[in-house]
Amino acid sequence: MSAEEIRALMSAPGNDRLTWNTPLSEEHAATLVAACAPAPGARIADFGSGWGELLMRLVEAAPGATGDGIETDPDAVTRGMLLARERGLANRVRFHEVSAAAYSESGYDLAVCIGSSHAWPGGTSEALKALRAAVRPGGRVLFGDGFWEREPSPAALEGLGAEPGDFGSLLELIRQAEAVGLRPLQVTVADQREWDLFESAANIGRGERWTLENPGHRLHSGVREAVDARRTGYYGGYRGTLGLAYLVLGA
Protein backbone atom coordinates (compact mmCIF):
# COMPACT_ATOMS: atom_id res chain seq x y z
CA MET A 1 0.00 0.00 0.00
CA SER A 2 1.49 3.34 -1.07
CA ALA A 3 1.33 6.26 1.36
CA GLU A 4 1.97 8.57 -1.58
CA GLU A 5 -1.06 7.20 -3.45
CA ILE A 6 -3.24 7.67 -0.38
CA ARG A 7 -2.09 11.28 0.05
CA ALA A 8 -2.84 11.95 -3.61
CA LEU A 9 -6.36 10.54 -3.28
CA MET A 10 -7.05 12.79 -0.29
CA SER A 11 -5.26 15.83 -1.66
CA ALA A 12 -7.23 19.08 -1.65
CA PRO A 13 -5.50 20.46 -4.80
CA GLY A 14 -6.93 17.54 -6.78
CA ASN A 15 -10.48 18.12 -5.55
CA ASP A 16 -12.55 19.83 -8.24
CA ARG A 17 -15.41 20.25 -5.75
CA LEU A 18 -13.39 22.97 -4.03
CA THR A 19 -13.56 26.59 -5.10
CA TRP A 20 -10.68 27.55 -2.81
CA ASN A 21 -7.87 25.49 -1.34
CA THR A 22 -8.20 27.41 1.91
CA PRO A 23 -10.96 28.10 4.47
CA LEU A 24 -12.70 30.95 2.62
CA SER A 25 -16.28 31.89 1.80
CA GLU A 26 -17.59 33.80 -1.20
CA GLU A 27 -18.38 36.81 0.98
CA HIS A 28 -14.94 36.78 2.59
CA ALA A 29 -13.25 36.44 -0.81
CA ALA A 30 -15.15 39.44 -2.12
CA THR A 31 -14.01 41.44 0.91
CA LEU A 32 -10.39 40.54 0.18
CA VAL A 33 -10.67 41.48 -3.50
CA ALA A 34 -12.23 44.83 -2.57
CA ALA A 35 -9.48 45.55 -0.03
CA CYS A 36 -6.75 44.70 -2.54
CA ALA A 37 -8.45 47.14 -4.97
CA PRO A 38 -6.46 46.23 -8.11
CA ALA A 39 -6.39 49.18 -10.51
CA PRO A 40 -7.05 48.92 -14.25
CA GLY A 41 -4.05 47.32 -15.93
CA ALA A 42 -2.64 46.00 -12.65
CA ARG A 43 0.01 43.28 -12.70
CA ILE A 44 -0.76 40.58 -10.13
CA ALA A 45 1.27 37.56 -9.00
CA ASP A 46 -0.04 34.69 -6.89
CA PHE A 47 2.70 32.62 -5.26
CA GLY A 48 1.41 29.09 -4.66
CA SER A 49 -1.69 29.91 -6.70
CA GLY A 50 -3.13 26.40 -6.96
CA TRP A 51 -5.69 26.52 -9.76
CA GLY A 52 -5.80 30.31 -9.49
CA GLU A 53 -9.39 30.99 -8.43
CA LEU A 54 -8.51 34.00 -6.27
CA LEU A 55 -6.03 35.23 -8.86
CA MET A 56 -8.74 35.16 -11.52
CA ARG A 57 -11.19 37.00 -9.26
CA LEU A 58 -8.60 39.73 -8.76
CA VAL A 59 -7.88 39.97 -12.49
CA GLU A 60 -11.59 40.10 -13.28
CA ALA A 61 -11.99 42.98 -10.82
CA ALA A 62 -9.78 45.34 -12.85
CA PRO A 63 -10.08 46.03 -16.59
CA GLY A 64 -6.88 45.11 -18.39
CA ALA A 65 -5.29 43.52 -15.33
CA THR A 66 -3.04 40.49 -15.84
CA GLY A 67 -2.05 37.71 -13.50
CA ASP A 68 0.82 35.25 -13.06
CA GLY A 69 0.10 32.06 -11.12
CA ILE A 70 3.20 30.40 -9.66
CA GLU A 71 2.45 26.77 -8.82
CA THR A 72 4.38 23.48 -8.77
CA ASP A 73 1.41 21.07 -8.87
CA PRO A 74 0.86 20.15 -12.54
CA ASP A 75 -2.73 19.02 -11.92
CA ALA A 76 -3.60 22.36 -10.33
CA VAL A 77 -1.95 24.20 -13.23
CA THR A 78 -3.93 22.16 -15.76
CA ARG A 79 -7.17 22.93 -13.95
CA GLY A 80 -6.24 26.61 -13.74
CA MET A 81 -5.52 26.90 -17.44
CA LEU A 82 -8.86 25.26 -18.23
CA LEU A 83 -10.71 27.63 -15.89
CA ALA A 84 -8.95 30.63 -17.42
CA ARG A 85 -10.03 29.58 -20.92
CA GLU A 86 -13.61 28.97 -19.80
CA ARG A 87 -13.78 32.46 -18.29
CA GLY A 88 -12.18 34.24 -21.23
CA LEU A 89 -8.97 34.97 -19.31
CA ALA A 90 -6.50 32.85 -21.27
CA ASN A 91 -4.72 35.98 -22.54
CA ARG A 92 -4.68 37.64 -19.13
CA VAL A 93 -3.78 34.84 -16.71
CA ARG A 94 -0.64 32.75 -17.13
CA PHE A 95 0.67 29.89 -15.01
CA HIS A 96 4.33 29.17 -14.28
CA GLU A 97 5.13 25.66 -13.10
CA VAL A 98 7.95 26.69 -10.78
CA SER A 99 8.39 26.99 -7.03
CA ALA A 100 7.45 30.27 -5.39
CA ALA A 101 10.94 30.64 -3.91
CA ALA A 102 12.53 30.28 -7.37
CA TYR A 103 10.33 32.87 -9.10
CA SER A 104 12.18 36.19 -9.35
CA GLU A 105 10.09 38.55 -11.48
CA SER A 106 9.17 41.76 -9.65
CA GLY A 107 7.49 45.14 -10.14
CA TYR A 108 3.99 43.79 -9.48
CA ASP A 109 1.16 45.97 -8.26
CA LEU A 110 -0.16 43.15 -6.08
CA ALA A 111 1.48 39.97 -4.77
CA VAL A 112 -0.62 37.19 -3.24
CA CYS A 113 0.38 34.20 -1.14
CA ILE A 114 -2.26 32.17 0.69
CA GLY A 115 -1.11 29.24 2.81
CA SER A 116 2.15 28.78 0.89
CA SER A 117 4.76 30.36 3.15
CA HIS A 118 6.29 26.89 3.51
CA ALA A 119 7.55 27.25 -0.08
CA TRP A 120 10.39 29.41 1.29
CA PRO A 121 13.11 27.77 3.42
CA GLY A 122 12.64 30.41 6.12
CA GLY A 123 8.86 30.09 6.21
CA THR A 124 6.71 33.09 7.07
CA SER A 125 9.46 35.70 7.49
CA GLU A 126 11.16 34.78 4.21
CA ALA A 127 7.83 34.64 2.39
CA LEU A 128 6.99 38.16 3.55
CA LYS A 129 10.40 39.45 2.47
CA ALA A 130 9.95 37.88 -0.97
CA LEU A 131 6.46 39.31 -1.38
CA ARG A 132 7.68 42.77 -0.37
CA ALA A 133 10.44 42.50 -2.97
CA ALA A 134 7.98 41.38 -5.65
CA VAL A 135 5.83 44.52 -5.52
CA ARG A 136 6.61 48.07 -6.59
CA PRO A 137 6.69 50.88 -3.99
CA GLY A 138 3.08 51.65 -3.15
CA GLY A 139 1.95 48.17 -4.18
CA ARG A 140 -0.04 45.74 -2.07
CA VAL A 141 0.38 42.25 -0.68
CA LEU A 142 -2.34 39.76 0.25
CA PHE A 143 -0.86 37.24 2.65
CA GLY A 144 -2.67 34.29 4.22
CA ASP A 145 -0.92 32.32 6.94
CA GLY A 146 -1.58 30.25 10.03
CA PHE A 147 -1.52 31.38 13.65
CA TRP A 148 -2.52 29.95 17.00
CA GLU A 149 -6.00 31.05 18.07
CA ARG A 150 -5.12 29.69 21.51
CA GLU A 151 -2.35 27.70 23.13
CA PRO A 152 -2.18 24.38 21.23
CA SER A 153 -2.96 21.24 23.20
CA PRO A 154 -1.00 18.00 22.70
CA ALA A 155 -3.97 16.68 20.71
CA ALA A 156 -3.93 19.73 18.42
CA LEU A 157 -0.20 19.39 17.80
CA GLU A 158 -0.56 15.68 17.12
CA GLY A 159 -3.45 16.26 14.72
CA LEU A 160 -1.40 18.75 12.72
CA GLY A 161 1.94 17.04 13.07
CA ALA A 162 3.17 20.40 14.35
CA GLU A 163 5.38 21.91 17.05
CA PRO A 164 4.36 24.83 19.30
CA GLY A 165 6.86 27.11 17.59
CA ASP A 166 5.49 26.46 14.10
CA PHE A 167 3.02 29.34 14.53
CA GLY A 168 2.72 32.42 16.68
CA SER A 169 -0.19 34.63 17.68
CA LEU A 170 -2.11 36.83 15.25
CA LEU A 171 -0.34 39.91 16.60
CA GLU A 172 3.03 38.23 16.11
CA LEU A 173 2.11 37.50 12.48
CA ILE A 174 1.17 41.16 11.95
CA ARG A 175 4.46 42.24 13.55
CA GLN A 176 6.39 39.98 11.15
CA ALA A 177 4.78 41.78 8.22
CA GLU A 178 5.58 45.17 9.71
CA ALA A 179 9.20 44.13 10.25
CA VAL A 180 9.77 43.82 6.48
CA GLY A 181 8.10 47.13 5.65
CA LEU A 182 4.52 45.99 5.05
CA ARG A 183 1.74 47.94 6.76
CA PRO A 184 -1.58 46.26 7.61
CA LEU A 185 -4.55 47.77 5.76
CA GLN A 186 -7.04 45.03 6.62
CA VAL A 187 -6.79 41.95 8.83
CA THR A 188 -9.45 39.22 8.81
CA VAL A 189 -9.46 35.60 9.88
CA ALA A 190 -11.25 32.47 8.67
CA ASP A 191 -14.27 31.83 10.85
CA GLN A 192 -15.31 28.43 12.21
CA ARG A 193 -17.87 27.80 9.48
CA GLU A 194 -15.25 28.43 6.79
CA TRP A 195 -12.91 25.99 8.52
CA ASP A 196 -15.58 23.32 8.97
CA LEU A 197 -16.70 23.51 5.34
CA PHE A 198 -13.11 23.39 4.11
CA GLU A 199 -12.16 20.37 6.19
CA SER A 200 -15.42 18.61 5.29
CA ALA A 201 -14.98 19.24 1.55
CA ALA A 202 -11.25 18.82 1.21
CA ASN A 203 -9.10 16.01 2.61
CA ILE A 204 -11.74 14.40 4.84
CA GLY A 205 -14.60 14.71 2.39
CA ARG A 206 -12.67 13.70 -0.68
CA GLY A 207 -11.25 10.62 1.02
CA GLU A 208 -14.62 9.60 2.44
CA ARG A 209 -16.36 9.94 -0.92
CA TRP A 210 -13.63 7.90 -2.57
CA THR A 211 -14.00 5.02 -0.09
CA LEU A 212 -17.77 4.92 -0.68
CA GLU A 213 -17.26 4.81 -4.44
CA ASN A 214 -14.41 2.27 -4.38
CA PRO A 215 -15.28 -0.40 -1.77
CA GLY A 216 -13.14 -3.12 -3.33
CA HIS A 217 -10.05 -1.08 -4.13
CA ARG A 218 -6.68 -2.23 -2.76
CA LEU A 219 -6.20 1.19 -1.10
CA HIS A 220 -9.64 1.24 0.51
CA SER A 221 -8.60 0.39 4.07
CA GLY A 222 -5.59 2.68 3.95
CA VAL A 223 -7.62 5.65 2.74
CA ARG A 224 -10.30 5.03 5.36
CA GLU A 225 -7.66 4.93 8.09
CA ALA A 226 -6.21 8.20 6.79
CA VAL A 227 -9.68 9.79 6.72
CA ASP A 228 -10.39 8.66 10.28
CA ALA A 229 -7.03 10.01 11.46
CA ARG A 230 -7.64 13.39 9.79
CA ARG A 231 -11.15 13.62 11.25
CA THR A 232 -9.86 12.79 14.73
CA GLY A 233 -7.01 15.26 14.34
CA TYR A 234 -9.38 18.06 13.37
CA TYR A 235 -12.46 17.56 15.55
CA GLY A 236 -10.50 16.16 18.46
CA GLY A 237 -7.45 18.39 18.10
CA TYR A 238 -6.81 21.56 16.13
CA ARG A 239 -10.39 22.75 15.46
CA GLY A 240 -10.59 26.21 17.03
CA THR A 241 -6.86 26.23 17.75
CA LEU A 242 -5.27 26.72 14.34
CA GLY A 243 -6.35 29.97 12.72
CA LEU A 244 -5.85 31.30 9.20
CA ALA A 245 -5.34 35.06 8.85
CA TYR A 246 -5.72 37.10 5.69
CA LEU A 247 -3.57 40.23 5.76
CA VAL A 248 -3.97 42.95 3.14
CA LEU A 249 -0.75 44.92 3.36
CA GLY A 250 0.61 48.11 1.84
CA ALA A 251 4.21 48.26 0.69
Side-chain angles (χ1 to χ4, degrees):
M1 185 178 296
S2 167
E4 184 175 340
E5 287 178 291
I6 292 171
R7 282 194 298 272
L9 286 170
M10 292 181 64
S11 170
N15 191 341
D16 59 10
R17 289 173 178 249
L18 290 179
T19 301
W20 328 94
N21 187 19
T22 186
L24 186 65
S25 64
E26 289 285 341
E27 181 183 5
H28 197 166
T31 300
L32 296 177
V33 172
C36 288
R43 296 179 62 236
I44 305 168
D46 189 340
F47 294 81
S49 65
W51 51 85
E53 180 63 36
L54 187 55
L55 175 63
M56 284 183 259
R57 301 280 181 110
L58 289 162
V59 167
E60 288 171 330
T66 58
D68 290 301
I70 299 97
E71 175 57 54
T72 57
D73 183 345
D75 292 334
V77 169
T78 298
R79 180 183 175 189
M81 293 172 65
L82 176 60
L83 288 172
R85 288 196 298 270
E86 290 175 348
R87 290 154 74 163
L89 297 174
N91 294 326
R92 297 172 61 191
V93 174
R94 301 178 299 167
F95 287 88
H96 309 268
E97 203 170 316
V98 62
S99 72
Y103 189 79
S104 59
E105 192 168 342
S106 60
Y108 286 100
D109 299 291
L110 171 64
V112 180
C113 178
I114 307 294
S116 294
S117 62
H118 57 82
W120 285 269
T124 297
S125 60
E126 290 303 312
L128 286 164
K129 288 178 186 177
L131 294 168
R132 175 65 184 86
V135 297
R136 61 170 178 77
R140 292 188 179 182
V141 167
L142 171 55
F143 185 63
D145 206 22
F147 70 97
W148 293 129
E149 294 263 18
R150 59 187 180 186
E151 190 73 22
S153 67
L157 294 172
E158 182 179 356
L160 288 166
E163 298 292 333
D166 287 350
F167 303 101
S169 69
L170 178 57
L171 181 58
E172 287 171 330
L173 180 59
I174 293 169
R175 293 287 184 252
Q176 284 183 286
E178 292 173 337
V180 301
L182 295 168
R183 301 296 297 177
L185 302 175
Q186 176 178 284
V187 177
T188 56
V189 301
D191 64 27
Q192 196 60 69
R193 182 173 182 272
E194 288 173 313
W195 267 111
D196 287 346
L197 288 173
F198 176 64
E199 288 287 348
S200 294
N203 298 282
I204 295 172
R206 187 179 190 207
E208 197 67 79
R209 287 189 298 273
W210 185 90
T211 60
L212 291 172
E213 294 165 0
N214 298 273
H217 196 281
R218 64 183 178 82
L219 295 177
H220 185 274
S221 61
V223 172
R224 176 151 289 180
E225 289 174 7
V227 168
D228 289 344
R230 179 78 180 213
R231 183 180 288 115
T232 298
Y234 178 61
Y235 294 107
Y238 61 91
R239 183 179 186 271
T241 297
L242 177 65
L244 199 293
Y246 297 96
L247 278 56
V248 180
L249 306 159

mmCIF file of all heavy atoms in Angstrom, residues 9-44:
data_model
loop_
_atom_site.group_PDB
_atom_site.id
_atom_site.type_symbol
_atom_site.label_atom_id
_atom_site.label_comp_id
_atom_site.label_asym_id
_atom_site.label_seq_id
_atom_site.Cartn_x
_atom_site.Cartn_y
_atom_site.Cartn_z
ATOM 1 N N LEU A 9 -4.911 10.734 -3.240
ATOM 2 C CA LEU A 9 -6.358 10.540 -3.277
ATOM 3 C C LEU A 9 -7.083 11.518 -2.347
ATOM 4 O O LEU A 9 -8.209 11.932 -2.620
ATOM 5 C CB LEU A 9 -6.710 9.100 -2.890
ATOM 6 C CG LEU A 9 -6.422 8.029 -3.930
ATOM 7 C CD1 LEU A 9 -6.588 6.647 -3.329
ATOM 8 C CD2 LEU A 9 -7.332 8.193 -5.143
ATOM 9 N N MET A 10 -6.430 11.895 -1.254
ATOM 10 C CA MET A 10 -7.051 12.795 -0.286
ATOM 11 C C MET A 10 -6.651 14.250 -0.492
ATOM 12 O O MET A 10 -7.099 15.126 0.235
ATOM 13 C CB MET A 10 -6.656 12.366 1.134
ATOM 14 C CG MET A 10 -7.238 11.042 1.560
ATOM 15 S SD MET A 10 -6.753 10.627 3.245
ATOM 16 C CE MET A 10 -7.542 11.934 4.185
ATOM 17 N N SER A 11 -5.830 14.499 -1.484
ATOM 18 C CA SER A 11 -5.257 15.831 -1.657
ATOM 19 C C SER A 11 -6.291 16.871 -2.043
ATOM 20 O O SER A 11 -7.035 16.714 -3.007
ATOM 21 C CB SER A 11 -4.172 15.772 -2.741
ATOM 22 O OG SER A 11 -3.747 17.055 -3.097
ATOM 23 N N ALA A 12 -6.311 17.992 -1.322
ATOM 24 C CA ALA A 12 -7.234 19.079 -1.646
ATOM 25 C C ALA A 12 -6.982 19.681 -3.024
ATOM 26 O O ALA A 12 -7.925 19.998 -3.736
ATOM 27 C CB ALA A 12 -7.161 20.163 -0.566
ATOM 28 N N PRO A 13 -5.705 19.873 -3.469
ATOM 29 C CA PRO A 13 -5.501 20.455 -4.797
ATOM 30 C C PRO A 13 -6.142 19.649 -5.925
ATOM 31 O O PRO A 13 -6.475 20.199 -6.962
ATOM 32 C CB PRO A 13 -3.976 20.488 -4.936
ATOM 33 C CG PRO A 13 -3.489 20.601 -3.539
ATOM 34 C CD PRO A 13 -4.443 19.762 -2.728
ATOM 35 N N GLY A 14 -6.317 18.359 -5.734
ATOM 36 C CA GLY A 14 -6.926 17.542 -6.775
ATOM 37 C C GLY A 14 -8.437 17.458 -6.692
ATOM 38 O O GLY A 14 -9.050 16.693 -7.420
ATOM 39 N N ASN A 15 -9.042 18.223 -5.794
ATOM 40 C CA ASN A 15 -10.480 18.123 -5.548
ATOM 41 C C ASN A 15 -11.221 19.203 -6.324
ATOM 42 O O ASN A 15 -11.233 20.372 -5.934
ATOM 43 C CB ASN A 15 -10.748 18.276 -4.041
ATOM 44 C CG ASN A 15 -12.178 17.918 -3.681
ATOM 45 O OD1 ASN A 15 -13.056 17.893 -4.527
ATOM 46 N ND2 ASN A 15 -12.397 17.640 -2.415
ATOM 47 N N ASP A 16 -11.867 18.828 -7.424
ATOM 48 C CA ASP A 16 -12.546 19.829 -8.242
ATOM 49 C C ASP A 16 -13.859 20.293 -7.639
ATOM 50 O O ASP A 16 -14.546 21.145 -8.199
ATOM 51 C CB ASP A 16 -12.758 19.324 -9.676
ATOM 52 C CG ASP A 16 -13.578 18.045 -9.740
ATOM 53 O OD1 ASP A 16 -14.154 17.647 -8.705
ATOM 54 O OD2 ASP A 16 -13.641 17.446 -10.827
ATOM 55 N N ARG A 17 -14.235 19.737 -6.470
ATOM 56 C CA ARG A 17 -15.410 20.249 -5.752
ATOM 57 C C ARG A 17 -15.078 21.541 -5.005
ATOM 58 O O ARG A 17 -15.974 22.269 -4.592
ATOM 59 C CB ARG A 17 -15.916 19.217 -4.738
ATOM 60 C CG ARG A 17 -16.578 17.986 -5.363
ATOM 61 C CD ARG A 17 -16.884 16.958 -4.288
ATOM 62 N NE ARG A 17 -17.566 15.798 -4.850
ATOM 63 C CZ ARG A 17 -18.835 15.497 -4.597
ATOM 64 N NH1 ARG A 17 -19.555 16.267 -3.816
ATOM 65 N NH2 ARG A 17 -19.389 14.424 -5.132
ATOM 66 N N LEU A 18 -13.802 21.799 -4.783
ATOM 67 C CA LEU A 18 -13.385 22.969 -4.031
ATOM 68 C C LEU A 18 -13.291 24.197 -4.927
ATOM 69 O O LEU A 18 -12.756 24.131 -6.029
ATOM 70 C CB LEU A 18 -12.008 22.742 -3.405
ATOM 71 C CG LEU A 18 -11.892 21.741 -2.261
ATOM 72 C CD1 LEU A 18 -10.443 21.654 -1.818
ATOM 73 C CD2 LEU A 18 -12.783 22.136 -1.097
ATOM 74 N N THR A 19 -13.801 25.324 -4.438
ATOM 75 C CA THR A 19 -13.559 26.594 -5.105
ATOM 76 C C THR A 19 -12.217 27.147 -4.669
ATOM 77 O O THR A 19 -11.436 27.650 -5.482
ATOM 78 C CB THR A 19 -14.668 27.607 -4.762
ATOM 79 O OG1 THR A 19 -15.931 27.071 -5.170
ATOM 80 C CG2 THR A 19 -14.431 28.941 -5.476
ATOM 81 N N TRP A 20 -11.938 27.043 -3.371
ATOM 82 C CA TRP A 20 -10.684 27.551 -2.805
ATOM 83 C C TRP A 20 -9.961 26.426 -2.075
ATOM 84 O O TRP A 20 -10.601 25.609 -1.418
ATOM 85 C CB TRP A 20 -10.945 28.667 -1.783
ATOM 86 C CG TRP A 20 -12.133 29.513 -2.046
ATOM 87 C CD1 TRP A 20 -13.399 29.356 -1.540
ATOM 88 C CD2 TRP A 20 -12.202 30.652 -2.911
ATOM 89 N NE1 TRP A 20 -14.225 30.330 -2.018
ATOM 90 C CE2 TRP A 20 -13.527 31.144 -2.866
ATOM 91 C CE3 TRP A 20 -11.262 31.322 -3.715
ATOM 92 C CZ2 TRP A 20 -13.937 32.261 -3.584
ATOM 93 C CZ3 TRP A 20 -11.672 32.426 -4.431
ATOM 94 C CH2 TRP A 20 -12.991 32.881 -4.361
ATOM 95 N N ASN A 21 -8.644 26.438 -2.135
ATOM 96 C CA ASN A 21 -7.871 25.486 -1.345
ATOM 97 C C ASN A 21 -7.437 26.156 -0.045
ATOM 98 O O ASN A 21 -6.274 26.188 0.328
ATOM 99 C CB ASN A 21 -6.646 25.007 -2.140
ATOM 100 C CG ASN A 21 -5.920 23.884 -1.418
ATOM 101 O OD1 ASN A 21 -6.484 23.236 -0.545
ATOM 102 N ND2 ASN A 21 -4.673 23.663 -1.774
ATOM 103 N N THR A 22 -8.424 26.694 0.659
ATOM 104 C CA THR A 22 -8.205 27.408 1.909
ATOM 105 C C THR A 22 -9.575 27.637 2.539
ATOM 106 O O THR A 22 -10.580 27.654 1.821
ATOM 107 C CB THR A 22 -7.498 28.766 1.645
ATOM 108 O OG1 THR A 22 -7.167 29.392 2.882
ATOM 109 C CG2 THR A 22 -8.370 29.706 0.818
ATOM 110 N N PRO A 23 -9.656 27.803 3.859
ATOM 111 C CA PRO A 23 -10.956 28.103 4.469
ATOM 112 C C PRO A 23 -11.396 29.526 4.111
ATOM 113 O O PRO A 23 -10.913 30.499 4.697
ATOM 114 C CB PRO A 23 -10.695 27.934 5.975
ATOM 115 C CG PRO A 23 -9.224 28.085 6.134
ATOM 116 C CD PRO A 23 -8.615 27.582 4.875
ATOM 117 N N LEU A 24 -12.300 29.640 3.146
ATOM 118 C CA LEU A 24 -12.696 30.948 2.624
ATOM 119 C C LEU A 24 -14.098 30.844 2.049
ATOM 120 O O LEU A 24 -14.416 29.899 1.321
ATOM 121 C CB LEU A 24 -11.714 31.381 1.531
ATOM 122 C CG LEU A 24 -11.862 32.789 0.960
ATOM 123 C CD1 LEU A 24 -11.582 33.847 2.020
ATOM 124 C CD2 LEU A 24 -10.930 32.969 -0.235
ATOM 125 N N SER A 25 -14.935 31.834 2.349
ATOM 126 C CA SER A 25 -16.285 31.891 1.802
ATOM 127 C C SER A 25 -16.330 32.883 0.649
ATOM 128 O O SER A 25 -15.406 33.681 0.452
ATOM 129 C CB SER A 25 -17.270 32.338 2.893
ATOM 130 O OG SER A 25 -16.973 33.665 3.303
ATOM 131 N N GLU A 26 -17.419 32.846 -0.108
ATOM 132 C CA GLU A 26 -17.589 33.796 -1.199
ATOM 133 C C GLU A 26 -17.590 35.232 -0.678
ATOM 134 O O GLU A 26 -16.962 36.124 -1.259
ATOM 135 C CB GLU A 26 -18.890 33.507 -1.951
ATOM 136 C CG GLU A 26 -18.862 32.237 -2.796
ATOM 137 C CD GLU A 26 -18.040 32.412 -4.073
ATOM 138 O OE1 GLU A 26 -17.812 33.564 -4.482
ATOM 139 O OE2 GLU A 26 -17.639 31.395 -4.641
ATOM 140 N N GLU A 27 -18.316 35.462 0.414
ATOM 141 C CA GLU A 27 -18.383 36.809 0.980
ATOM 142 C C GLU A 27 -17.016 37.293 1.441
ATOM 143 O O GLU A 27 -16.621 38.442 1.198
ATOM 144 C CB GLU A 27 -19.365 36.828 2.147
ATOM 145 C CG GLU A 27 -19.518 38.197 2.793
ATOM 146 C CD GLU A 27 -20.449 38.176 3.993
ATOM 147 O OE1 GLU A 27 -20.900 37.089 4.386
ATOM 148 O OE2 GLU A 27 -20.709 39.264 4.538
ATOM 149 N N HIS A 28 -16.272 36.413 2.102
ATOM 150 C CA HIS A 28 -14.945 36.777 2.592
ATOM 151 C C HIS A 28 -14.005 37.053 1.415
ATOM 152 O O HIS A 28 -13.222 38.018 1.442
ATOM 153 C CB HIS A 28 -14.401 35.643 3.474
ATOM 154 C CG HIS A 28 -13.263 36.048 4.339
ATOM 155 N ND1 HIS A 28 -12.820 35.276 5.391
ATOM 156 C CD2 HIS A 28 -12.437 37.125 4.320
ATOM 157 C CE1 HIS A 28 -11.791 35.857 5.975
ATOM 158 N NE2 HIS A 28 -11.537 36.983 5.345
ATOM 159 N N ALA A 29 -14.084 36.228 0.376
ATOM 160 C CA ALA A 29 -13.245 36.436 -0.805
ATOM 161 C C ALA A 29 -13.521 37.792 -1.443
ATOM 162 O O ALA A 29 -12.594 38.517 -1.845
ATOM 163 C CB ALA A 29 -13.471 35.317 -1.817
ATOM 164 N N ALA A 30 -14.792 38.148 -1.539
ATOM 165 C CA ALA A 30 -15.153 39.443 -2.121
ATOM 166 C C ALA A 30 -14.587 40.589 -1.287
ATOM 167 O O ALA A 30 -14.155 41.618 -1.836
ATOM 168 C CB ALA A 30 -16.668 39.561 -2.232
ATOM 169 N N THR A 31 -14.574 40.423 0.030
ATOM 170 C CA THR A 31 -14.007 41.435 0.914
ATOM 171 C C THR A 31 -12.515 41.603 0.664
ATOM 172 O O THR A 31 -11.988 42.723 0.643
ATOM 173 C CB THR A 31 -14.251 41.055 2.387
ATOM 174 O OG1 THR A 31 -15.652 40.963 2.622
ATOM 175 C CG2 THR A 31 -13.649 42.072 3.331
ATOM 176 N N LEU A 32 -11.824 40.487 0.452
ATOM 177 C CA LEU A 32 -10.388 40.539 0.180
ATOM 178 C C LEU A 32 -10.101 41.216 -1.153
ATOM 179 O O LEU A 32 -9.192 42.041 -1.264
ATOM 180 C CB LEU A 32 -9.797 39.126 0.189
ATOM 181 C CG LEU A 32 -9.843 38.373 1.524
ATOM 182 C CD1 LEU A 32 -9.283 36.966 1.354
ATOM 183 C CD2 LEU A 32 -9.089 39.128 2.607
ATOM 184 N N VAL A 33 -10.864 40.865 -2.179
ATOM 185 C CA VAL A 33 -10.674 41.482 -3.498
ATOM 186 C C VAL A 33 -10.895 42.988 -3.415
ATOM 187 O O VAL A 33 -10.118 43.787 -3.959
ATOM 188 C CB VAL A 33 -11.616 40.843 -4.539
ATOM 189 C CG1 VAL A 33 -11.567 41.616 -5.853
ATOM 190 C CG2 VAL A 33 -11.243 39.377 -4.777
ATOM 191 N N ALA A 34 -11.940 43.401 -2.703
ATOM 192 C CA ALA A 34 -12.231 44.829 -2.567
ATOM 193 C C ALA A 34 -11.110 45.556 -1.824
ATOM 194 O O ALA A 34 -10.745 46.684 -2.185
ATOM 195 C CB ALA A 34 -13.559 45.021 -1.841
ATOM 196 N N ALA A 35 -10.547 44.925 -0.795
ATOM 197 C CA ALA A 35 -9.476 45.552 -0.027
ATOM 198 C C ALA A 35 -8.185 45.647 -0.834
ATOM 199 O O ALA A 35 -7.418 46.602 -0.680
ATOM 200 C CB ALA A 35 -9.235 44.771 1.265
ATOM 201 N N CYS A 36 -7.944 44.660 -1.694
ATOM 202 C CA CYS A 36 -6.746 44.705 -2.543
ATOM 203 C C CYS A 36 -6.885 45.785 -3.614
ATOM 204 O O CYS A 36 -5.889 46.359 -4.057
ATOM 205 C CB CYS A 36 -6.520 43.350 -3.204
ATOM 206 S SG CYS A 36 -5.958 42.071 -2.060
ATOM 207 N N ALA A 37 -8.119 46.046 -4.044
ATOM 208 C CA ALA A 37 -8.447 47.136 -4.970
ATOM 209 C C ALA A 37 -7.500 47.223 -6.158
ATOM 210 O O ALA A 37 -6.876 48.261 -6.383
ATOM 211 C CB ALA A 37 -8.469 48.466 -4.209
ATOM 212 N N PRO A 38 -7.358 46.137 -6.940
ATOM 213 C CA PRO A 38 -6.464 46.229 -8.112
ATOM 214 C C PRO A 38 -6.953 47.288 -9.087
ATOM 215 O O PRO A 38 -8.143 47.376 -9.386
ATOM 216 C CB PRO A 38 -6.536 44.826 -8.712
ATOM 217 C CG PRO A 38 -7.815 44.235 -8.200
ATOM 218 C CD PRO A 38 -8.035 44.835 -6.852
ATOM 219 N N ALA A 39 -6.047 48.109 -9.575
ATOM 220 C CA ALA A 39 -6.386 49.180 -10.507
ATOM 221 C C ALA A 39 -6.418 48.634 -11.932
ATOM 222 O O ALA A 39 -5.853 47.574 -12.222
ATOM 223 C CB ALA A 39 -5.360 50.304 -10.400
ATOM 224 N N PRO A 40 -7.077 49.342 -12.844
ATOM 225 C CA PRO A 40 -7.049 48.924 -14.254
ATOM 226 C C PRO A 40 -5.613 48.739 -14.738
ATOM 227 O O PRO A 40 -4.745 49.568 -14.467
ATOM 228 C CB PRO A 40 -7.736 50.093 -14.974
ATOM 229 C CG PRO A 40 -8.671 50.659 -13.948
ATOM 230 C CD PRO A 40 -7.926 50.535 -12.642
ATOM 231 N N GLY A 41 -5.380 47.613 -15.412
ATOM 232 C CA GLY A 41 -4.045 47.324 -15.928
ATOM 233 C C GLY A 41 -3.073 46.787 -14.903
ATOM 234 O O GLY A 41 -1.875 46.631 -15.199
ATOM 235 N N ALA A 42 -3.529 46.475 -13.710
ATOM 236 C CA ALA A 42 -2.637 45.997 -12.652
ATOM 237 C C ALA A 42 -1.963 44.689 -13.032
ATOM 238 O O ALA A 42 -2.544 43.844 -13.711
ATOM 239 C CB ALA A 42 -3.417 45.824 -11.353
ATOM 240 N N ARG A 43 -0.726 44.543 -12.570
ATOM 241 C CA ARG A 43 0.006 43.283 -12.701
ATOM 242 C C ARG A 43 -0.043 42.574 -11.352
ATOM 243 O O ARG A 43 0.335 43.149 -10.331
ATOM 244 C CB ARG A 43 1.453 43.515 -13.117
ATOM 245 C CG ARG A 43 1.608 44.127 -14.493
ATOM 246 C CD ARG A 43 3.085 44.352 -14.811
ATOM 247 N NE ARG A 43 3.821 43.090 -14.842
ATOM 248 C CZ ARG A 43 4.897 42.831 -14.085
ATOM 249 N NH1 ARG A 43 5.351 43.718 -13.220
ATOM 250 N NH2 ARG A 43 5.513 41.654 -14.187
ATOM 251 N N ILE A 44 -0.522 41.325 -11.364
ATOM 252 C CA ILE A 44 -0.762 40.585 -10.130
ATOM 253 C C ILE A 44 -0.027 39.250 -10.186
ATOM 254 O O ILE A 44 -0.052 38.563 -11.219
ATOM 255 C CB ILE A 44 -2.271 40.324 -9.939
ATOM 256 C CG1 ILE A 44 -3.050 41.658 -9.984
ATOM 257 C CG2 ILE A 44 -2.532 39.588 -8.638
ATOM 258 C CD1 ILE A 44 -4.548 41.474 -10.094
#
